[in-house]
């Protein structure tokens, strides 16, 4: 299985989100700072709002071939929440740039895809492992 991060979108307006994406953003925010804020509040134009993600929020699709696998929200430079595609089921998080995932199969799928997309920094302790997995997947 060779998954890829594709279709990166900078998210600046709640109006561009589907109902599921709105709920994903809400859940991601709760995991990030514990505040239960809707998409409009998370994407507020108020530069003084510390709970806002505006200007630091991207949504990627993760696919295997044409099959949607995950929706990956990356925000606040070094954080993220990854959901099973089209759902609010959290499968992994990005904490201080690193992938945190309890499911070993999902971790082996997402880690190499993060390396290929340039999302995981080389300084991350998992980078060599995921780079090796990526090479093996590409053979």
């Amino acid at each position: 299985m060779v998954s890829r991060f594709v279709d990166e979108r900078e998210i600046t307006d709640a109006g561009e989100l589907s109902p599921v994406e709105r709920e994903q953003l809400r859940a991601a925010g709760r995991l990030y700072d514990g505040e239960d804020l809707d998409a409009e509040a998370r994407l507020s134009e108020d530069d003084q709002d510390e709970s806002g993600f505006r200007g630091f929020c991207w949504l990627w699709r993760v696919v295997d071939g044409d099959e949607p696998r995950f929706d990956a929200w990356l925000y606040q430079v070094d954080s993220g929440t990854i959901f099973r595609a089209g759902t609010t089921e959290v499968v992994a998080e990005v904490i201080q740039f690193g992938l945190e995932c309890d499911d070993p199969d999902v971790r082996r799928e997402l880690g190499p895809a993060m390396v290929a997309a340039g999302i995981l920094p080389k300084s991350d302790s998992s980078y060599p492992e995921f780079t090796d997995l990526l090479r093996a997947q590409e053979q």
Side-chain angles (χ1 to χ4, degrees):
M1 186 177 309
V2 180
S3 289
R4 298 174 297 119
F5 278 69
V6 299
D7 301 335
E8 177 187 21
R9 293 171 32 206
E10 182 176 8
I11 305 299
T12 58
D13 182 358
E16 65 190 84
L17 300 175
S18 72
V20 169
E21 291 169 343
R22 288 170 167 269
E23 287 307 308
Q24 288 175 338
L25 181 56
R26 178 179 222 131
R30 275 194 310 267
L31 288 169
Y32 179 74
D33 62 16
E35 294 189 46
D36 187 18
L37 302 174
D38 64 17
E40 285 78 12
R42 282 288 170 197
L43 299 171
S44 167
E45 292 186 38
D46 181 359
D47 292 336
Q48 303 304 314
D49 184 1
E50 293 181 16
S51 63
F53 289 178
R54 187 182 183 91
F56 301 95
C57 185
W58 295 267
L59 175 59
W60 294 72
R61 287 185 322 119
V62 181
V63 298
D64 178 3
D66 292 332
E67 178 190 354
R69 300 283 298 145
F70 306 103
D71 299 322
W73 289 84
L74 302 175
Y75 44 84
Q76 299 302 73
V77 180
D78 66 351
S79 299
T81 306
I82 303 174
F83 299 88
R84 197 158 308 282
T87 75
T88 56
E89 178 190 348
V90 176
V91 297
E93 291 185 80
V94 175
I95 300 173
Q96 294 182 333
F97 296 107
L99 178 64
E100 300 290 329
C101 182
D102 292 333
D103 182 321
D105 292 332
V106 171
R107 184 176 181 279
R108 282 190 300 271
E109 183 175 352
L110 287 171
M114 289 175 70
V115 168
I119 294 169
L120 188 72
K122 291 180 180 178
S123 59
D124 187 86
S125 63
S126 298
Y127 190 87
E129 170 194 358
F130 293 146
T131 299
D132 288 346
L133 284 170
L134 179 61
R135 282 189 197 115
Q137 288 174 353
E138 291 175 338
Q139 292 180 7

